[in-house]
Amino acid sequence: MAYTVGQVARVAGVTVRTLHHYDEIGLLSPSGRTAAGYRRYDDADLQRLQLVLYYRELGFPLEQIAEIIDEPAADPAAHLRRQHELLTVRIKRLQEMVAAIEFAMEASKLNIHLTPEERFEVFGDFKPEEHEAEAERRWGGTDAYRESNRRVAGHSKEDWLRIKAESEEWGRRIVAVLASGAPADSPEAMELAEEHRQVISRWFYECSYEVHTGLADMYLADERFTAHYENIAPGLAEYLNEAIHANAISRA
């Protein structure tokens, strides 16, 4: 059976642009085309796409994914065993990290000494205190929580306005990169992912690459974080997740 690029995108949960990019780099080229040149995918193409998405979810860069799935000695059972092993390791790592994961939106008890007018200027409708109880429940015993709590207690109104301005400027630039069609593991996207990590380290707590990738996974696992990035631009949550993982692998 033949499938159009739109049908494959809907079934796989990816964008048409992503499939076009996979075709351009030779990672997933359709088995056929119509007389008019439109892509047509068959069942074997879908099986290959499934492997690509498995390994992408595990944080592998696209170039390495191509090497893995094109390995002559590898069969479907071997891929499943490898994915099982990698997922088992990743689950263990995430379980060990969960106590250290924290983010600025609900990082700590924000002991911010601002007037009501200043708070509205800085945060708008967002009320940090509404997240205090959950933040303390999830991360209250971690070093990251204590460090962030200590740092934000010393932030002035000017500090918070600077954080806000930096975040908004970063948001404009990553949306532009996303809109340009650059893949998440492009140098431009990875540089913005690195900048994202450094902002957290500069203003809140030391954000290692391991913690940063844990945060990236939370952006997709927690619907509130997903909604935050999707409100900036559709598809940004997944794009940022992939860019952060690619950046961590690149700099490891």
Side-chain angles (χ1 to χ4, degrees):
M1 182 175 178
Y3 306 89
T4 67
V5 66
Q7 290 172 323
V8 174
R10 285 192 296 273
V11 169
V14 298
T15 64
V16 170
R17 184 177 62 194
T18 294
L19 293 174
H20 286 178
H21 178 63
Y22 289 172
D23 184 12
E24 291 166 1
I25 66 175
L27 181 60
L28 177 69
S29 297
S31 297
R33 290 182 180 266
T34 67
Y38 294 109
R39 296 170 174 85
R40 288 293 183 268
Y41 296 83
D42 61 16
D43 291 336
D45 296 329
L46 296 187
Q47 290 177 352
R48 182 179 176 89
L49 176 59
Q50 187 177 45
L51 288 175
V52 170
L53 297 180
Y54 278 151
Y55 286 113
R56 191 187 69 174
E57 178 66 22
L58 288 167
F60 284 82
L62 297 181
E63 294 82 359
Q64 191 171 355
I65 292 174
E67 294 174 2
I68 293 171
I69 63 180
D70 288 333
E71 183 181 352
D75 58 20
H79 282 301
L80 289 173
R81 287 192 298 271
R82 180 180 177 85
Q83 289 156 14
H84 182 273
E85 293 169 0
L86 292 170
L87 283 170
T88 300
V89 171
R90 184 175 180 184
I91 288 170
K92 182 176 183 297
R93 179 176 64 84
L94 290 174
Q95 288 173 336
E96 293 172 348
M97 288 172 54
V98 71
I101 296 176
E102 185 177 1
F103 183 62
M105 288 177 61
E106 50 179 359
S108 65
K109 288 183 176 180
L110 299 181
N111 299 316
I112 306 167
H113 305 294
L114 302 177
T115 67
E117 293 78 10
E118 289 173 333
R119 290 174 67 87
F120 186 80
E121 181 181 354
V122 172
F123 295 109
D125 293 333
F126 174 67
K127 296 180 174 60
E129 64 273 11
E130 293 180 357
H131 298 268
E132 290 177 4
E134 183 181 358
E136 185 169 15
R137 177 181 60 81
R138 294 176 68 174
W139 305 303
T142 66
D143 291 339
Y145 179 93
R146 288 187 288 270
E147 181 183 359
S148 181
N149 199 33
R150 177 183 60 79
R151 288 197 196 179
V152 300
H155 288 350
S156 65
K157 172 192 171 183
E158 289 71 26
D159 291 330
W160 287 109
L161 289 173
R162 191 176 300 114
I163 294 169
K164 180 181 179 183
E166 286 183 9
S167 299
E168 290 174 348
E169 172 61 20
W170 175 88
R172 284 190 288 271
R173 286 187 285 127
I174 197 167
V175 167
V177 173
L178 171 64
S180 74
D185 58 354
S186 66
E188 298 85 355
M190 289 194 294
E191 185 61 32
L192 285 167
E194 175 63 15
E195 186 175 322
H196 181 271
R197 186 188 71 84
Q198 291 178 2
V199 166
I200 296 173
S201 293
R202 183 163 62 252
W203 291 107
F204 298 98
Y205 56 90
E206 187 60 36
C207 184
S208 67
Y209 290 106
E210 187 175 26
V211 170
H212 201 211
T213 55
L215 288 172
D217 291 338
M218 189 168 65
Y219 298 160
L220 298 183
D222 190 317
E223 62 184 12
R224 292 168 299 181
F225 287 98
T226 304
H228 169 74
Y229 286 107
E230 292 301 296
N231 285 337
I232 297 174
L236 181 56
E238 181 178 0
Y239 189 78
L240 179 58
N241 173 278
E242 295 177 7
I244 288 173
H245 276 281
N247 181 61
I249 292 172
S250 172
R251 297 174 186 266

